DNA sequence: AAGTATTTGGGTAATTAGGGCA
DNA sequence: CGTGTCCTAATTACCCAAATAC
């Protein structure tokens, strides 16, 4: 079955990233984060994907493998493994 | 193999979309989702339609195509009346 | 038949979406 | 270029009551 991806609201993701909900919406609009739309037009985000982003799996030195976490986040149906690219937050 | 003719209760659909059961009822009232009414007046939703809605909106990175789309979502006997097409650009 | 859990209905407050601007 | 804040409009969430489903 699914990995049990809970869906988070923009406000939840925004609080997790310490940004404005508007910014989260922009990430979804830019395709930097997967988003599920409700019939009403609102967006929902996958908890597993947000967590993966929060883990800081952005770009790390290839000689700096994560020796502890090993999230092993498994997007079930159709989640996209974000290989690399940009780092939201730009910190 | 069932094509997904299983009927879901508003609470089930609400949990899938991370919304309130009341919101699901509004979707049915707005014709955004097919609904079957019980003789008592309660609504029931088709599992296949709900799943199609959940995965159908999956946006993916342009350079990250989903390896296995295979939605295999049959429109079933009564196709979904997509009446929510009236969204000209903005609001 | 009785019970509990869920759903329904209407109304109001909070959040979200979209665009433009700083 | 990215983020934050402004606006308006739409959608959603929670309150109450009663009815229905199992």
């Amino acid at each position: 079955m699914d990995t049990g991806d809970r869906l988070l609201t923009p406000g939840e993701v925004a609080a997790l990233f310490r940004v404005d909900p508007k910014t989260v919406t922009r990430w979804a609009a830019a395709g930097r984060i997967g988003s599920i739309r409700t019939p009403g037009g609102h967006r929902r985000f996958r908890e597993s994907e947000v967590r993966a982003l929060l883990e800081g799996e952005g770009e790390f030195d290839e000689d700096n493998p994560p020796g502890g976490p090993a999230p092993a986040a498994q997007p079930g149906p159709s989640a996209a493994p974000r290989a690399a690219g940009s780092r939201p937050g730009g910190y």
Side-chain angles (χ1 to χ4, degrees), chain A:
Chain A
M1 268 309 236
D2 286 19
T3 58
D5 312 5
R6 288 177 302 176
L7 295 172
L8 300 179
T9 61
E12 285 285 289
V13 181
L16 260 35
F17 279 97
R18 288 283 204 180
V19 295
D20 238 59
K22 191 73 166 182
T23 302
V24 180
T25 297
R26 280 184 185 140
W27 295 345
R32 291 209 270 254
I33 180 173
S35 60
I36 295 179
R37 311 267 299 219
T38 67
H42 284 204
R43 290 193 182 89
R44 290 280 119 88
F45 304 92
R46 298 227 175 234
E47 211 267 359
S48 49
E49 193 166 330
V50 175
R51 271 173 112 184
L53 257 28
L54 285 168
E55 279 288 319
E57 48 69 50
E59 54 253 81
F60 47 81
D61 283 9
E62 61 275 351
D63 66 77
N64 183 24
Q74 240 143 43
S78 62
R82 221 127 256 96
S86 331
R87 181 163 13 181
Y91 202 86

